[in-house]
Amino acid sequence: MKILVPVKRVVDYNVKVRVKSDGSGVDIANVKMSMNPFDEIALEEAVRLKESGKVTEVVAVSVGVAQCQETLRTGMAIGADRGILVETSVETEPLAVAKIMKALADKEQPQLIILGKQAIDDDSNQTGQMLAALLGWPQATFASKVVLEDGKVTVTREVDGGLETVQLTLPAIITTDLRLNEPRYVTLPNIMKAKKKPLETVKPEDLGVDVTPRLKTLKVTEPAKRSAGVKVPDVATLVQKLRLEAKVI
C-alpha cells in the first residue's frame, strides 16, 4: 500500500512575517523557510502507518521552486521513502496543486493521500477537497484520529459541534488537524540517510497541468494595531463603557 503526502515550503511558523513596502506581498528574502506544520503532521501519520506494517511506501511531494528539495529531504528524514518535486517558479494556487496531485495519483496509484488541512501562508484550506473532487475519491477533513484496517480507513474529524467519526473505502483523501499527532524530532543520522534517498524532479507541463494563476493579489497590508486597554474601577463603570462607548450592549 502506498501513501502520497504533499508537503509545502512556507515561512517558518516562528518567524514574524513582514509585508513588502509596496504592499505586493510578504517579504521572504533571507527568511527561514520550513515545512508547513499541518503537512508535517500528515507526513508523521503516514510514517506511523508504515511503521505499524499497514503501509509499504510513503512518497513526499512538493510543488514549487528548486529550494523545495530541502523540504523534501526533511520529509525523507522524517521517514518518507522517496520524494517528488514538481518544479515551477509560478506561485501555484490550490486548484493547480490539486491538478498536479491528481496527475501524480494517476501515475503513482496510491491508496491513500494525506494532506495538511491548510498551509499557514495562504490559509486556503482547499487543496484536499479539490483533489477529492477531481479524483472522485471519498474524503475526511480535519482528522484528529486515523485507523487503517481491512481496506477501509476510519477517521475521527474535528467539527464545530465536537467530533464526528466517518469510515471511508480506499482509495481516499484525508486532511489533518493539529491534534492528530506530534511530529518526531528529525535526528542527524536520519538527515544523512535522507540524502541517499531518491528524489525525482518533474515540471508541471510534464504532467499536462497548466499552473497559470487565476487570482491576482491586489494589495497586502498588515492588520491594524490594537489600541491599549483600560482598567475600570468597578462593574458599573464597565457596563457604562460597554453601553455608551463600545455600544455592544
Side-chain angles (χ1 to χ4, degrees):
M1 178 176 175
K2 183 189 297 185
I3 297 181
L4 284 187
V5 184
V7 293
K8 187 175 184 181
R9 178 176 180 263
V10 299
V11 175
D12 189 88
Y13 71 93
N14 287 311
V15 174
K16 178 176 172 56
V17 296
R18 296 170 298 175
V19 175
K20 293 180 180 179
S21 58
D22 60 0
S24 61
V26 172
D27 186 6
I28 60 172
N30 301 316
V31 171
K32 181 183 177 183
M33 308 292 283
S34 61
M35 186 185 300
N36 177 48
F38 290 101
D39 297 340
E40 195 172 1
I41 291 170
L43 186 56
E44 172 68 26
E45 191 65 20
V47 172
R48 290 187 186 187
L49 288 172
K50 181 189 172 186
E51 290 172 344
S52 69
K54 297 176 181 178
V55 173
T56 55
E57 185 180 28
V58 176
V59 183
V61 181
S62 192
V63 180
V65 294
Q67 289 89 332
C68 291
Q69 292 186 30
E70 301 171 10
T71 307
L72 288 171
R73 291 295 178 192
T74 300
M76 289 186 277
I78 291 174
D81 298 287
R82 57 189 173 95
I84 301 174
L85 171 61
V86 182
E87 187 176 349
T88 175
S89 58
V90 177
E91 188 173 343
T92 49
E93 296 168 357
L95 181 58
V97 176
K99 288 180 177 179
I100 287 171
M101 288 305 304
K102 179 187 183 301
L104 288 175
D106 292 339
K107 176 184 176 183
E108 295 284 339
Q109 294 295 305
Q111 285 70 52
L112 193 60
I113 300 178
I114 306 180
L115 313 85
K117 71 171 185 177
Q118 64 195 77
I120 61 172
D121 53 359
D122 58 17
D123 277 333
S124 292
N125 185 9
Q126 296 175 337
T127 305
Q129 294 88 329
M130 289 178 171
L131 178 57
L134 291 173
L135 286 170
W137 291 6
Q139 62 175 311
T141 54
F142 319 139
S144 61
K145 184 179 180 181
V146 175
V147 178
L148 182 62
E149 55 188 0
D150 300 327
K152 295 185 178 180
V153 58
T154 303
V155 180
T156 301
R157 302 181 58 237
E158 297 195 359
V159 296
D160 291 341
L163 299 176
E164 176 187 48
T165 301
V166 296
Q167 188 176 73
L168 311 178
T169 301
L170 299 178
I173 306 287
I174 296 174
T175 71
T176 60
D177 215 327
L178 281 174
R179 280 153 290 280
L180 178 58
N181 62 50
E182 184 174 344
R184 68 194 65 190
Y185 178 76
V186 179
T187 62
L188 181 58
N190 286 336
I191 293 174
M192 300 306 293
K193 290 178 184 177
K195 293 181 178 180
K196 299 180 180 179
K197 292 183 178 180
L199 197 163
E200 178 186 359
T201 300
V202 297
K203 301 287 186 181
E205 49 268 28
D206 298 334
L207 301 172
V209 178
D210 179 13
V211 295
T212 303
R214 290 171 165 77
L215 303 174
K216 182 179 179 181
T217 300
L218 300 180
K219 189 177 182 181
V220 177
T221 58
E222 291 188 12
K225 292 184 178 180
R226 296 177 61 181
S227 57
V230 297
K231 291 184 177 180
V232 294
D234 50 44
V235 174
T237 307
L238 173 62
V239 172
Q240 184 181 32
K241 285 184 174 294
L242 290 174
R243 180 181 293 124
L244 300 179
E245 296 181 17
K247 300 186 185 300
V248 293
I249 59 174

